[in-house]
Amino acid sequence: MTVSLKQCRTFSFSDGTLKDEAERLVVWWYGPVEKNTRAESVPKIYVFFRPIDQNNNLGDVIDRPTVLTHIGLLRIGSVWEKGVSNSRIAFDERTFPVSFSPGGWRIVSLDDLRKAGRSLYTSFHDEHYLPLDRKQRSYLIEFDLPDGKHLLIPCTEFFTRVYGRSSEIKRVLATYPWEKVKERLYRPLNAPAAPGTWPVKFTYRVHKHDAILLAHMLYDPYAEQAARKIYSQLESRFPEDRILFEAMPWFQGSGELSVSGVPIDGGNTFLGLQILGCTQPDGATIHREREESGTAPANDGDDAPTQFPYHQLQDIPDVIDLTDDEEPDHGSSWLDITEDEFVILGKPRVVLDKRYTRKNVPDTRGVPVPGDETIFSTGEPYGSGKGVGQASIHAPITLESQGFLRDMWNALLYLKSAYPTAIHSVSWFTFEDGFSTSPDPRLISLEPFGTDDEVETSVANWVYMDTQTKVLRGVLVIKVHVLGQALYLMELQRRPPKPRNGGREEGSKPPSYKGLVFTLDHQDSFEHWLRQVLSNVRHVEGVVQKLVRHCPGFADTFKHPKAKHENVPGEASVLNAFSKVGIMRADLSGH
């Protein structure tokens, strides 16, 4: 049985599980969890591997123990040799509409599937994905799909990828009872919650993109119940040797899951082995605040809240040696290690950062001399002098772009929900529909030139998205009521990139048109001015700078910067447009 592999980002991951292995191993499945008798702050988990030879033939299943916090790096399908992975199995990638609410899913075991006569046979390597024996039994979430088919995802994969972005959340939820979970993840709020908002202040050991899960665990009893269930099922079965655990969706509502995996059960079920992305739950605006680095003296002991490790290693070693047998030293260096990216599907949740100036507080801790650590652990600091640093593992997020014009529209809707007192309404305009707040904006098609119009060929052709099919280029026109004034934004539809010619980039990028932002001295001149712009923009082939001086009001152009810290694609472009009329982000938030 052979499988096909594809190249991927190289991970160097020398935990004791893999670094001494002489053969190539592919991660095949996740097994049971057990208590870690050496480093008690991180549970152990068994991972099933299969040897894979140079011809990509698979051998028999073997298991190896590691810690729960390392699972996000040991993705199913990833191929490892002496602690390094740079290839993985080329699974199918699919996106499915699902319901996360009770009734839309159930927890099933491999035994349940076998008893129901469901086959785990998959043609991708001409065999059952898993032999249905006792050794590899485990729990999966089965989602019902609209077409009567099903999506199956291992509970461990769901827990690892959907319960927040950082491994720290998973570690704490699986290791401590609820009161201790709250001590380790949250800090007291500085002020009471404003109506309709969910403020959350959390420790420095978790990642800023954990805010949504942390807020739901605090304010949504459904999420709290799901989170509590992780520890309670493990604790109730310890000190039994090995425990299989269930993980349920922690929010309700419909959404999407993007997965890679294999079809099974004659094509009636898709076995999702890796979660690539997921919808975020809808709800109140989350006000995110992160603890400053800790200033209390560090104490040893199980109940001492973790202090933020305050020295980040600058020179990251080529090979990061992660241990699953030791806990890190107090005051040691820390490393930030990234897993695979996680794609936010659909509309992102509104999360605003609380910013305030903080008075200087003297740091009462002794200053360590970090930087000499050669080994790192994801556990909680305990003792000192072992030479073990602290590792923080998280999955960075990426936002799903829905196409340039749609991103601009979605960014405006996002800002309206983030700053409801500043942005009163957002609507799109066509001559047929007038102004509309319908969630799906329509474009205004440009008029083609007539045969009698004396224009150059390039100008005549510019009007079309595709000169062969004569599909006309569209224009998105949006009106925004912001801080008492009406702003208009105009964006041109861009042609899709041409395929590369003989491997060269030449001609593959569409021109990056600027956007047009304008205000009008008299609102009733809107349609007349817009018709002028739509006619003239054809003659200048989209160079809107040439049109601004004729505006019966104020007009300017704006660029579309790529910003690192956008909450949604297009946000930086919209804020850039606002800045042209003197409106900054601070004005929107009232600061």
Side-chain angles (χ1 to χ4, degrees), residues 18 126 270 479 516 523:
L18 291 170
D126 282 336
F270 192 81
K479 182 180 187 179
L516 181 68
Q523 296 307 318

Side-chain angles (χ1 to χ4, degrees), residues 119-344:
S119 163
L120 284 175
Y121 177 81
T122 172
S123 57
F124 104 102
H125 75 312
D126 282 336
E127 200 181 300
H128 290 276
Y129 188 82
L130 283 176
L132 287 170
D133 63 13
R134 307 298 296 168
K135 191 170 71 168
Q136 290 164 326
R137 70 186 197 274
S138 57
Y139 291 112
L140 304 97
I141 306 182
E142 180 170 59
F143 290 95
D144 297 321
L145 302 176
D147 57 4
K149 295 184 178 181
H150 299 96
L151 170 64
L152 272 176
I153 295 174
C155 280
T156 305
E157 173 69 5
F158 193 87
F159 178 59
T160 301
R161 293 289 280 175
V162 181
Y163 275 65
R165 304 276 48 84
S166 66
S167 66
E168 176 70 0
I169 295 252
K170 272 71 87 169
R171 183 189 76 77
V172 170
L173 288 181
T175 308
Y176 302 106
W178 190 243
E179 288 310 311
K180 295 233 172 80
V181 165
K182 291 200 289 190
E183 272 175 34
R184 282 170 166 81
L185 298 180
Y186 298 98
R187 290 292 174 260
L189 294 170
N190 292 3
T197 66
W198 285 2
V200 60
K201 184 175 182 180
F202 46 89
T203 71
Y204 239 107
R205 280 183 67 100
V206 292
H207 197 266
K208 68 176 185 177
H209 294 306
D210 288 321
I212 298 174
L213 171 63
L214 289 168
H216 273 261
M217 280 162 41
L218 206 54
Y219 298 101
D220 173 3
Y222 187 85
E224 183 190 324
Q225 180 198 354
R228 278 174 177 261
K229 191 174 176 187
I230 301 300
Y231 175 75
S232 63
Q233 59 187 311
L234 297 180
E235 184 56 25
S236 66
R237 314 263 290 282
F238 281 142
E240 240 183 71
D241 273 351
R242 300 181 177 186
I243 294 105
L244 298 160
F245 77 94
E246 304 173 15
M248 59 184 258
W250 54 266
F251 59 92
Q252 303 181 70
S254 57
E256 289 185 318
L257 272 169
S258 175
V259 295
S260 66
V262 291
I264 56 169
D265 195 24
N268 291 314
T269 302
F270 192 81
L271 177 58
L273 298 166
Q274 298 179 355
I275 295 177
L276 308 175
C278 182
T279 311
Q280 291 180 333
D282 220 358
T285 297
I286 293 168
H287 285 223
R288 170 173 62 194
E289 189 179 347
R290 206 162 174 198
E291 164 190 58
E292 301 285 316
S293 56
T295 54
N299 301 308
D300 273 355
D302 285 343
D303 297 332
T306 303
Q307 290 301 314
F308 169 54
Y310 43 91
H311 179 281
Q312 182 163 13
L313 266 195
Q314 297 306 312
D315 301 321
I316 295 175
D318 293 338
V319 175
I320 295 157
D321 207 347
L322 287 175
T323 177
D324 49 21
D325 288 330
E326 294 277 8
E327 278 155 319
D329 295 332
H330 276 299
S332 55
S333 310
W334 64 287
L335 269 184
D336 198 28
I337 302 168
T338 55
E339 303 170 355
D340 286 338
E341 289 184 333
F342 188 86
V343 181
I344 305 304

Side-chain angles (χ1 to χ4, degrees), residues 401-412:
S401 171
Q402 299 182 349
F404 172 71
L405 296 182
R406 188 63 187 239
D407 285 351
M408 290 294 291
W409 171 252
N410 288 346
L412 279 158

Side-chain angles (χ1 to χ4, degrees), residues 28 63 77 88-89 111 168 251 261 305 364 417 489 512-513 516-517 535 537 590:
W28 202 251
D63 65 40
R88 59 182 53 179
I89 292 176
D111 277 354
E168 176 70 0
F251 59 92
T364 55
S417 54
L489 277 72
S512 53
Y513 300 109
L516 181 68
V517 57
S535 174
V537 77

Side-chain angles (χ1 to χ4, degrees), residues 16-32:
T17 313
L18 291 170
K19 67 178 174 186
D20 299 325
E21 284 289 346
E23 54 191 342
R24 285 204 314 168
L25 297 175
V26 58
V27 179
W28 202 251
W29 197 250
Y30 301 130

